[in-house]
């Protein structure tokens, strides 16, 4: 075999190995936006139409908090009530466990990463295990998001943070900690911004184009 053919053969092998490595990684879409921007509603629609698994960092934390005897329960409760961010090691651990338990490969991760610590912790713990496809950003003004959350709380959402005091803290966290993360991914051309002020069906018309 000539040297040229040998090189071509090795290149094909390397491409094949790279394809296998990529195929063995979890495919991830981060879903970000302020409280009440409609992340959960849109994730449900994506799941129904495109078969992704929806993992809400907040829901996983709330489930862990509610487990009898959870070693993290009280810590998580205090962070949720105060509108602050749970240590990234806990969140990454819960997300990875949920991905493994699902037996699937395509995931929407809703409400994460929420700050620089989340981003660094994710890259350290999960960066080599995933393919980040893009960041789905639901852009919605503070006033609209606030009213949606208050309406949700009045309708009996059962969420301890759907009240004005907690919402103010959550929005402060979002603006000061999460928006810089969105800007970080914008610099990498990974953000897909959606106008979330419209009805859920109108919003989804734009969302589904990104997954088709």
């Amino acid at each position: 075999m000539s040297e040229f053919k040998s090189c071509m053969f090795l290149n094909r092998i390397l491409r094949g190995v790279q394809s296998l490595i990529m195929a063995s990684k979890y495919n991830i879409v981060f879903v970000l936006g302020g409280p009440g921007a409609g992340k959960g509603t849109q994730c449900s629609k994506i799941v129904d139409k495109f078969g992704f698994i929806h993992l809400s960092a907040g829901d996983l934390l709330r489930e862990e908090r509610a487990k009898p005897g959870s070693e993290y329960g009280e810590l998580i409760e205090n962070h949720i009530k105060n509108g602050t961010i749970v240590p990234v090691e806990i969140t990454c651990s819960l997300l990875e466990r949920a991905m493994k338990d699902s037996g699937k490969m395509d995931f929407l991760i809703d409400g994460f990463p929420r700050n620089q610590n989340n981003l660094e912790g994710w890259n350290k713990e999960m960066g080599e295990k995933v393919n980040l496809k893009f960041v789905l950003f639901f852009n919605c003004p503070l006033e609209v998001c606030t009213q949606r959350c208050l309406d949700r709380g009045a309708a009996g959402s059962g969420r301890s943070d759907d009240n004005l005091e907690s919402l103010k803290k959550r929005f402060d966290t979002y603006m000061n900690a999460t928006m810089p993360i969105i800007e970080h991914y914008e610099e990498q051309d990974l953000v897909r911004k959606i106008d979330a002020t419209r009805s859920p069906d109108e919003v989804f018309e734009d969302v589904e184009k990104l997954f088709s």
Side-chain angles (χ1 to χ4, degrees):
M1 186 182 292
S2 70
E3 186 175 337
F4 175 75
K5 287 183 178 178
S6 296
C7 287
M8 291 294 290
F9 180 67
L10 285 171
N11 282 334
R12 280 200 298 271
I13 290 176
L14 285 171
R15 283 198 297 270
V17 169
Q18 287 171 343
S19 297
L20 284 171
I21 290 171
M22 292 296 281
S24 68
K25 291 184 176 183
Y26 297 117
N27 295 310
I28 302 294
V29 174
F30 286 140
V31 183
L32 294 173
K39 299 185 294 295
T41 299
Q42 294 301 318
C43 284
S44 295
K45 290 177 175 290
I46 296 166
V47 168
D48 289 343
K49 183 149 189 178
F50 298 103
F52 275 66
I53 300 293
H54 173 211
L55 298 178
S56 163
D59 286 350
L60 289 172
L61 289 166
R62 281 184 282 272
E63 287 168 15
E64 186 67 22
R65 174 188 60 177
K67 281 183 184 176
S70 167
E71 62 179 306
Y72 303 127
E74 187 176 349
L75 175 67
I76 293 170
E77 172 67 15
N78 289 335
H79 280 286
I80 288 176
K81 279 190 173 178
N82 291 323
T84 51
I85 294 174
V86 174
V88 66
E89 293 81 8
I90 295 174
T91 309
C92 283
S93 173
L94 296 177
L95 286 167
E96 184 172 13
R97 185 171 71 192
M99 286 190 277
K100 285 179 178 176
D101 289 348
S102 76
K104 305 292 185 181
M105 297 302 291
D106 298 322
F107 298 92
L108 304 168
I109 298 186
D110 167 7
F112 185 91
R114 292 179 60 200
N115 66 1
Q116 185 65 29
N117 177 253
N118 276 184
L119 178 62
E120 291 171 357
W122 172 265
N123 287 339
K124 178 183 175 184
E125 301 290 332
M126 300 295 295
E128 296 300 315
K129 302 175 185 178
V130 304
N131 298 316
L132 177 60
K133 311 297 280 185
F134 56 87
V135 177
L136 184 57
F137 171 40
F138 292 106
N139 192 27
C140 194
L142 172 64
E143 314 80 62
V144 175
C145 286
T146 300
Q147 193 56 54
R148 285 177 180 175
C149 289
L150 293 175
D151 290 345
R152 187 170 66 187
S157 67
R159 289 181 51 163
S160 61
D161 54 356
D162 276 344
N163 61 76
L164 203 54
E165 184 180 353
S166 288
L167 279 171
K168 184 180 184 309
K169 294 174 182 174
R170 289 165 68 197
F171 277 115
D172 284 347
T173 299
Y174 169 67
M175 291 306 298
N176 295 325
T178 307
M179 280 306 299
I181 301 307
I182 293 167
E183 290 162 5
H184 164 78
Y185 283 122
E186 279 182 328
E187 291 172 2
Q188 300 179 38
D189 198 29
L190 284 170
V191 173
R192 308 293 179 265
K193 185 185 290 189
I194 301 288
D195 174 7
T197 60
R198 300 164 296 165
S199 73
D201 286 343
E202 288 174 315
V203 171
F204 190 65
E205 285 180 13
D206 286 346
V207 170
E208 63 182 337
K209 293 172 187 173
L210 299 173
F211 290 85
S212 298

